[in-house]
């Protein structure tokens, strides 16, 4: 890269920071290239955060909400073209296209680096370059990873403080180690033409240009924790997964930690913060994480998980006191809202929020909005970024450096047909097959044909940083090393009846399925063997307090329709063909076994 000198003196980190020379050199190198007016190291302190919020306000990047109702919370609007992850511009830059595999967009690493570094040359002129050291995972954890993100965006700087353990804690963890992720983000006026999210796994490097949307620019989240993380996990023998982690405690004191993968927009945050229904007196569900799990094999042969994040970056529309009271309590303060509706008196609003609709609303684009307007007030992908410490149902183990022992892994998709409410895999390989063939129907909000099934192995399609076939093989390999593997399940909250209505009430009532899952991991909980796997035996799912219509639907929701399964097996073969000879043989065999069991 450039041997140029920065036009300004690059400060060393604030006093007291220990910082390997490699970090300092990376900062100097990029300062020399991007030529900012100022370089500012962030220490992660509250005082610093308060100063940054003031500065962001003065720059018009955020505006305060009514502090009497939304204490510590701010509003921001993104560029209207920059509202979501951009999969076609998200590239894996491995030396060969084969390493990235057929499910990723690949770009030549040298060409991509030259192109993006070209964009970044001089791009920070007149601006501040923030140096954001951040830690993914609890301090002191063997699984935690350090990243250094350099950015010209104050929005990124403040959001990283919410979403990660940011500042000094990261450099303390790094010590003299040279294993850190280098991340560079340049806003470039949110220029669509120059928008790229480029991952260089072999160099532990991420370059993000032309966007300011969270999933593209908060580099610790999807970029490091999943795409680079999955690649590191493959090399180092652990798993980086798109999974929530929750803790279930029964009235008798039985504890289970459960990890669950669902494709985006299938209610992961709601499930992670589930409140059991009234009939479940004495049961408690608490949250470890709502989006990402890093899991390693413990010395006792169990799988241990941490949540690498420190905050929630949740989808606002649909979040309400009815659907997710814990999320509402979490976002009630200290939150940065992006692209929701805003009222003249400083309140936020989105579709699905309960309570009166505020007067004098502006929509996410800043246009006046009234109920009944044809446009949505909040963008369907509008977000809240809230510190996880605000969650009233935060599990006590969330900062445990050892992680929590996972006893069940759940895969789930949005399927109007075919899949029953819950299946337990016969064994690990069968469970990996259930995860590998995970599919979800596209929703009205997404482009494409409504109801079309998108195959999304382990809910990792947009997030696996290497060849999907090798990734599935890695799962099989991990299973072989676990003497006490978690049990694996598949759930479907979204099956519909012939009238097009959901057959299952979902939300808090998902506790009934969770109870059965936990019981199965402890060897009780009656199951019935079916061609698909184990399903709850008659009476094994608790129904007290469930509406009579929902009870009546149970047989329909657990039904196995042969014609639907014939079609499903056909659809699955598309994925198998796509992965070609890298599709692990044991999974091909599982499909044959399923075919045979279905007759
Ligand atoms: C997310 C996603 O933002 O999965 O978590 O898209
Ligand atoms: Mn996600």
């Amino acid at each position: 890269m450039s041997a140029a000198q920065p036009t300004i003196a690059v400060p060393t980190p604030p006093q007291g920071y220990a910082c390997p020379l490699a970090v300092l050199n990376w900062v100097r190198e990029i300062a020399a290239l991007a030529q900012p007016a100022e370089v500012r190291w962030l220490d992660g302190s509250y005082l610093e955060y308060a100063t940054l919020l003031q500065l962001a306000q003065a720059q018009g990047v955020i505006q305060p909400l009514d502090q009497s109702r939304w204490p510590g919370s701010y509003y921001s609007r993104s560029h209207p073209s920059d509202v979501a992850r951009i999969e076609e511009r998200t590239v894996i830059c491995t030396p060969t296209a084969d390493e990235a595999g057929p499910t990723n967009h690949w770009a030549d690493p040298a060409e991509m680096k030259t192109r993006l570094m070209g964009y970044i040359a001089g791009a920070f002129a007149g601006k501040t370059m923030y140096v954001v050291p951040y830690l993914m995972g609890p301090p002191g954890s063997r699984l935690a990873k350090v990243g250094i993100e350099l950015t010209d965006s104050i929005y990124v700087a403040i959001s990283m403080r919410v979403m990660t353990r940011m500042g000094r804690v990261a450099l303390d963890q790094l010590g003299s180690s040279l294993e850190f992720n280098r991340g560079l983000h340049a806003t470039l006026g949110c220029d669509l033409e120059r928008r790229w999210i480029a991952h260089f796994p072999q160099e532990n490097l991420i370059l993000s240009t032309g966007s300011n949307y969270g999933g593209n620019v908060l580099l610790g989240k999807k970029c490091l924790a999943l795409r680079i993380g999955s690649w590191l996990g493959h090399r180092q023998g652990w798993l980086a997964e798109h999974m929530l982690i929750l803790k279930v405690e029964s009235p008798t004191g039985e504890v289970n930690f459960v990890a669950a993968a669902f494709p985006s927009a299938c209610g992961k945050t709601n499930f992670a913060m589930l409140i059991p229904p009234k009939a479940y007196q004495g049961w408690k569900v608490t949250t470890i994480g709502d989006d990402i799990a890093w899991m390693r094999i413990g010395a006792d042969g169990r799988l241990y998980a941490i949540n690498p994040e420190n905050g929630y970056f949740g989808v606002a529309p649909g979040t309400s006191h009815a659907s997710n009271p814990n999320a509402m309590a979490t976002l009630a303060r200290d939150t940065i809202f992006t692209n929701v509706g805003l009222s003249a008196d400083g309140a936020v609003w989105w579709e699905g929020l309960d309570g009166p609709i505020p007067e004098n609303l502006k929509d996410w684009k800043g246009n006046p909005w009234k109920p009944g307007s044809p446009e949505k007030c909040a963008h369907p992908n509008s977000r809240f970024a809230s510190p996880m410490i605000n969650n009233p149902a935060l599990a006590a183990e969330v900062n445990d450096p050892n992680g929590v022992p996972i006893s069940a892994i759940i895969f789930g998709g949005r399927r109007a047909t075919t899949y029953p409410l819950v299946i337990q895999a016969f064994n690990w390989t069968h469970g990996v097959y259930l995860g590998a063939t995970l599919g979800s129907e596209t929703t009205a909000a997404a482009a494409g044909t409504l109801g079309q099934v998108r195959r999304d192995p382990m809910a990792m399609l947009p997030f696996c940083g290497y060849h999907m076939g090798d990734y599935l093989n890695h799962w099989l390999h991990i299973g072989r090393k676990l003497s006490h593997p978690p049990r694996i399940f598949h759930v479907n909250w979204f099956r519909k009846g012939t009238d097009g209505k959901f057959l299952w009430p979902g939300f808090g009532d998902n506790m009934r399925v969770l109870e059965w899952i936990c019981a199965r991991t402890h060897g009780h909980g009656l199951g019935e063997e079916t061609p698909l796997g184990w399903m709850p035996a008659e009476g094994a799912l608790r129904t007290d307090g469930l509406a009579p219509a929902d009870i009546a639907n149970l047989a329909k929701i657990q039904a196995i329709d042969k014609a639907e399964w014939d079609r499903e097996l056909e659809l699955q073969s598309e994925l198998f063909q796509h992965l070609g000879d890298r599709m692990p043989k044991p999974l091909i065999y599982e499909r044959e076994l399923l075919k045979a069991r279905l007759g």
Side-chain angles (χ1 to χ4, degrees):
M1 278 181 226
S2 166
Q5 292 300 311
T7 46
I8 46 129
V10 174
T12 49
Q15 251 195 347
Y17 265 51
C19 170
L21 199 56
V23 174
L24 205 55
N25 285 344
W26 160 240
V27 176
R28 285 188 179 133
E29 183 188 343
I30 300 308
L33 180 75
Q35 300 287 335
E38 183 202 12
V39 173
R40 187 160 172 184
W41 289 78
L42 299 186
D43 64 17
S45 66
Y46 183 73
L47 200 64
E48 174 188 84
Y49 182 57
T51 314
L52 290 177
L53 287 171
Q54 266 179 4
L55 193 59
Q57 219 176 298
Q59 292 174 1
V61 172
I62 55 171
Q63 63 185 94
L65 296 180
D66 171 3
Q67 296 294 301
S68 65
R69 285 180 291 164
W70 299 91
S73 294
Y74 293 82
Y75 181 81
S76 94
R77 272 191 195 106
S78 77
H79 188 284
S81 80
D82 189 31
V83 292
R85 287 185 289 100
I86 176 157
E87 289 182 13
E88 62 281 15
R89 290 295 188 107
T90 297
V91 287
I92 303 295
C93 304
T94 39
T96 64
D98 182 61
E99 285 159 277
T103 58
N104 278 312
H105 297 281
W106 175 80
D108 177 78
E111 271 173 31
M112 191 44 95
K113 210 185 288 173
T114 305
R115 178 197 292 217
L116 300 190
M117 289 304 191
Y119 293 165
I120 290 164
F124 291 1
K127 301 178 89 179
T128 299
M129 179 171 99
Y130 295 96
V131 181
V132 185
Y134 64 95
L135 176 64
M136 300 305 286
S141 174
R142 265 178 59 196
L143 257 182
K145 300 272 177 216
V146 172
I148 311 288
E149 177 165 354
L150 310 180
T151 177
D152 62 342
S153 162
I154 193 165
Y155 172 85
V156 169
I158 56 182
S159 302
M160 285 295 280
R161 183 165 187 289
V162 176
M163 294 302 299
T164 71
R165 295 164 175 91
M166 187 249 262
R168 186 169 174 162
V169 64
L171 291 181
D172 284 348
Q173 170 102 8
L174 187 62
S176 57
S177 161
L178 297 183
E179 202 203 320
F180 66 94
N181 177 270
R182 291 177 299 154
L184 172 54
H185 164 243
T187 312
L188 306 180
C190 300
D191 177 6
L192 197 52
E193 295 290 310
R194 290 182 292 167
R195 190 170 299 162
W196 290 98
I197 324 299
H199 305 72
F200 303 81
Q202 277 81 357
E203 292 176 63
N204 205 354
L205 171 71
I206 305 160
L207 301 179
S208 168
T209 56
S211 171
N212 207 32
Y213 168 73
N216 297 332
V217 298
L218 307 179
L219 299 184
K221 191 173 177 67
K222 302 299 185 184
C223 300
L224 172 55
L226 289 177
R227 297 194 193 96
I228 297 280
S230 59
W231 189 85
L232 288 173
H234 185 228
R235 289 211 349 179
Q236 299 168 356
W238 53 279
L239 293 168
E241 297 302 325
H242 192 202
M243 289 181 177
L244 64 94
I245 310 166
L246 55 79
K247 176 182 180 187
V248 190
E249 285 166 274
S250 79
T252 57
E254 205 170 76
V255 172
N256 277 280
F257 294 98
V258 177
F262 294 83
S264 307
C266 284
K268 270 209 334 277
T269 304
N270 289 348
F271 191 44
M273 297 182 179
L274 178 150
I275 296 186
K278 279 206 181 68
Y280 278 74
Q281 277 291 328
W283 286 80
K284 211 165 127 194
V285 174
T286 46
T287 316
I288 303 273
D290 81 325
D291 196 39
I292 297 171
W294 283 354
M295 304 194 281
R296 69 174 174 88
I297 302 166
D300 59 2
R302 293 194 286 173
L303 195 60
Y304 282 79
I306 61 161
N307 168 17
E309 300 193 275
N310 201 31
Y312 307 123
F313 186 61
V315 176
T319 308
S320 69
H321 293 97
S323 67
N324 193 338
N326 287 325
M328 290 304 293
T330 305
L331 59 76
R333 55 186 309 131
D334 318 317
T335 294
I336 298 163
F337 292 96
T338 304
N339 289 344
V340 296
L342 178 68
S343 72
D345 63 353
V348 280
W349 190 80
W350 49 83
E351 279 75 12
L353 182 63
D354 32 20
I357 303 179
E359 308 234 312
N360 296 322
L361 273 171
K362 289 212 166 130
D363 69 11
W364 68 277
K365 288 185 186 155
N367 301 320
W369 186 92
K370 281 201 169 40
S373 295
E375 304 271 319
K376 297 256 188 244
C377 182
H379 186 276
N381 193 35
S382 54
R383 299 280 174 148
F384 57 87
S386 309
M388 72 177 178
I389 193 78
N390 283 5
N391 178 1
L394 194 64
E397 295 79 355
V398 75
N399 288 316
D400 188 335
N402 293 320
V404 293
I406 298 296
S407 51
I409 291 176
I410 302 176
F411 296 108
R414 180 185 288 274
R415 300 296 301 268
T417 65
T418 321
Y419 276 86
L421 182 60
V422 58
I423 314 165
Q424 180 185 359
F426 292 123
N427 52 46
W428 182 268
T429 308
H430 181 216
V432 174
Y433 170 80
L434 290 179
T437 52
L438 194 64
S440 203
E441 274 138 26
T442 47
T443 57
T449 319
L450 193 71
Q452 200 170 33
V453 178
R454 165 165 135 145
R455 224 29 78 181
D456 190 350
M458 315 287 191
M460 283 287 279
L461 188 67
F463 306 122
C464 178
Y466 62 106
H467 197 296
M468 186 62 84
D470 294 349
Y471 164 77
L472 296 177
N473 216 0
H474 181 51
W475 261 83
L476 294 173
H477 183 69
I478 292 278
R480 283 180 213 116
K481 291 191 154 174
L482 290 165
S483 52
H484 301 290
R487 304 292 185 253
I488 303 183
F489 299 81
H490 185 287
V491 301
N492 178 21
W493 316 135
F494 301 96
R495 195 164 185 180
K496 288 180 177 170
T498 42
D499 58 0
K501 293 202 177 120
F502 288 117
L503 290 169
W504 180 247
F507 299 104
D509 285 304
N510 294 337
M511 181 67 225
R512 300 171 190 279
V513 176
L514 201 49
E515 181 193 13
W516 183 74
I517 287 174
C518 293
R520 293 293 293 172
T521 68
H522 287 272
H524 44 94
L526 289 180
E528 185 182 301
E529 195 175 337
T530 77
L532 304 183
W534 294 94
M535 294 218 248
E538 176 91 38
L541 272 189
R542 254 174 81 177
T543 55
D544 48 328
L546 201 58
D550 295 328
I551 298 176
N553 280 337
L554 274 175
K556 284 188 218 155
I557 200 172
Q558 289 290 80
I560 301 173
D561 182 312
K562 173 82 170 63
E564 286 178 0
W565 274 97
D566 286 345
R567 167 122 187 87
E568 171 67 15
L569 285 166
E570 273 313 305
L571 288 173
Q572 287 182 4
S573 67
E574 285 166 20
L575 170 78
F576 284 54
Q577 278 158 20
H578 199 37
L579 298 187
D581 59 6
R582 300 278 267 278
M583 186 74 197
K585 302 281 176 296
L587 301 184
I588 298 175
Y589 185 58
E590 280 300 329
R591 183 162 163 273
E592 294 308 315
L593 282 177
L594 174 57
K595 253 189 194 165
R597 289 196 301 267
L598 284 163

